[in-house]
Amino acid sequence: GLESLDGESYTRVLDFDLEKNIVKVKGPVEASSEALTHAAVYQCNKDISCVFHIHSTPIWEGMINENYLATSKDTPYGTIEMAKEVQSLIGKSSSGLLVMKGHQDGVISFGPNLDSAGMLILEVYDKFGG
């Protein structure tokens, strides 16, 4: 809901422990409840350097209806189970999209850079509306 972002709008994840559900952060805002899931994506492939996590009802529903790569609707967000399921789905891929059925409106894109991950989001935006 912010028109522009500055240094007070970000928090840096310094470290994490997937097994213990711990995220070490530095910054003025609380880390996302999905910070562990984002970290798990980066662990999948050394070429992944960008993760986008958006919320959009039309995109989420469209991706589910068209059988995009998806987590189970029974996997709650912000959990170790979600992070591990996302890793299992991504495997060694370096770029892609997935929809989080257990995280209302949650969609993730990932890739080797901002442009590639962003283009994936724009493609589903164009396809399903945002």
Side-chain angles (χ1 to χ4, degrees):
L2 301 174
E3 188 171 314
S4 63
L5 299 174
D6 58 23
E8 297 301 308
S9 304
Y10 295 95
T11 289
R12 183 174 177 199
V13 175
L14 303 173
D15 198 9
F16 68 96
D17 186 320
L18 190 60
E19 297 303 322
K20 294 180 181 176
N21 198 16
I22 296 172
V23 179
K24 182 179 175 185
V25 300
K26 180 180 182 179
V29 295
E30 189 175 326
S32 163
S33 62
E34 282 295 344
L36 266 184
T37 298
H38 302 166
V41 173
Y42 289 114
Q43 280 189 321
C44 290
N45 185 315
K46 65 177 179 58
D47 293 329
I48 297 172
S49 63
C50 179
V51 175
F52 287 145
H53 179 159
I54 67 161
H55 288 236
S56 166
T57 301
I59 293 172
W60 185 76
E61 289 175 346
M63 289 178 68
I64 290 171
N65 291 337
E66 292 205 10
N67 296 312
Y68 277 70
L69 192 63
T71 62
S72 166
K73 65 179 177 61
D74 298 323
T75 305
Y77 72 92
T79 63
I80 295 169
E81 293 78 20
M82 177 64 80
K84 288 183 176 182
E85 184 174 355
V86 165
Q87 278 189 325
S88 176
L89 290 168
I90 291 172
K92 296 294 182 189
S93 296
S94 61
S95 180
L97 283 164
L98 66 92
V99 58
M100 302 163 76
K101 289 182 179 178
H103 185 35
Q104 181 69 40
D105 302 338
V107 172
I108 290 177
S109 75
F110 58 94
N113 54 54
L114 293 168
D115 287 341
S116 63
M119 288 305 296
L120 293 171
I121 293 294
L122 291 174
E123 287 171 16
V124 290
Y125 176 84
D126 288 343
K127 186 172 184 175
F128 303 118

